[in-house]
Amino acid sequence: MNQSSEFQALCNLICAHTVARCIHMIAELGVADVLDDEPASAAALADAAGMNADALDRMLRLLAANGVFVREGDGYMHTPMSVLLRSDHSRSLRPFARMIGMPAIWRGVTDLEHAARTGMPALNQAQMISYLADHPAESSLFNQAMTSKSADAVAAVVETYDFGAFDRIADIGGGRGHLLQAILERTAATGILFDLPQVIDDAAGIDPRQIQLVGGDFFRDPLPVADAYILMDILHGWADDRAADILSGIHRSIPPHGRVFVIETLVSGSPGPHFGKTLDIMMLAVTGGRERTGAEYGKLLESTGFYLERVTPTESQYSIVEAAVA
């Protein structure tokens, strides 16, 4: 890479947040939903989405330069990435893009200086949970985003690991229970979905004959007894001391033969780009949590009465960290 290309590459990285914000806005305003199989002009799309035509054209031009949409004549068409912003796509990332662009989330990134100086976000995880409890529409969007973000991961997890040895499986902080339901479809087990009361209210459509819905706070309330405990995208939201509190709560309830499955995006040891490294900074800025390596999860588990049995990669960005009672 010559000096000029290094200069341009760094300029692009310095302004990369602009591309992200365009994706957030396109997702929030539903532009991908109003674009069908035929090319459509920015004016037509703007009229359908309630946007300014010139502003949308410029945003789409930038996104097309990055593979999200493509310019076709005087209009725009979908690409394999842009269709993932449609609400009706089976692997839709629209809720995830909208959630990352929510003021409460994005503000953490813009306030990154606070985290850089103190090691803590301007708004910590407990405050974020309280905020979502007071803003039910954003709380519902957050739960939708967690479901959409992990769509590929859920399929990858159930394809990778056989949970058939367990009779009762508890999904701790499981949101709408998408992973638990996928596991139970393949086993004869019964399930328990444990999450905050307002989250459980949002999951009220789940069949109670298969899954018991339990509202509570995993820092204060006893956790249900089960043979297996699933924690997907939970521990990364918390600093080590609070993550240890969650695991200790499980340790107080788990039978001696039980297993814990921590399903997270592990930080890669390779020097190149990796989603785990990006997500780690999001956690630093927004929740005060962190992404961890497999070895770091091993130390965290050992400090709370478990031992690491194995780390199993999946076909998604997630890995399955399996632990047993020490």
Side-chain angles (χ1 to χ4, degrees), residues 300-324:
L300 184 61
L301 288 159
E302 288 172 9
S303 73
T304 55
F306 297 99
Y307 68 89
L308 176 64
E309 282 204 322
R310 64 181 65 89
V311 176
T312 306
T314 73
E315 291 297 318
S316 70
Q317 75 267 24
Y318 288 83
S319 293
I320 304 170
V321 180
E322 182 178 355

Side-chain angles (χ1 to χ4, degrees), residues 32-199:
D33 284 348
V34 298
L35 176 59
D36 295 319
D37 295 332
E38 297 297 323
S41 67
L45 294 172
D47 184 61
M51 297 179 68
N52 175 272
D54 178 63
L56 178 57
D57 190 33
R58 293 156 69 182
M59 293 168 70
L60 289 175
R61 178 175 62 186
L62 174 61
L63 292 181
N66 287 274
V68 186
F69 302 99
V70 63
R71 183 88 182 192
E72 186 76 19
D74 293 329
Y76 292 92
M77 292 189 67
H78 275 302
T79 64
M81 278 201 288
S82 67
V83 294
L84 295 174
L85 294 174
R86 287 188 60 92
S87 301
D88 57 2
H89 196 283
S90 61
R91 298 164 59 209
S92 176
L93 284 172
R94 184 189 178 201
F96 181 61
R98 292 180 64 205
M99 183 271 289
I100 294 296
M102 285 192 322
I105 303 294
W106 189 249
R107 190 179 303 122
V109 180
T110 60
D111 288 343
L112 186 58
E113 180 182 354
H114 184 278
R117 292 185 180 277
T118 68
M120 296 297 295
L123 186 70
N124 65 32
Q125 177 78 318
Q127 292 169 318
M128 178 65 69
I129 290 172
S130 178
Y131 173 88
L132 292 175
D134 293 336
H135 296 80
E138 291 182 53
S139 177
S140 180
L141 176 58
F142 181 88
N143 292 330
Q144 293 173 42
M146 293 300 98
T147 301
S148 72
K149 170 179 173 284
S150 59
D152 282 354
V154 167
V157 168
V158 297
E159 287 291 337
T160 299
Y161 195 93
D162 181 4
F163 291 88
F166 305 106
D167 296 324
R168 194 161 177 79
I169 301 171
D171 192 350
I172 306 302
R176 293 183 166 188
H178 47 289
L179 174 58
L180 182 58
Q181 291 178 82
I183 290 172
L184 297 183
E185 287 174 1
R186 292 171 171 251
T187 70
T190 58
I192 306 168
L193 180 62
F194 182 96
D195 213 316
L196 292 168
Q198 67 268 22
V199 179

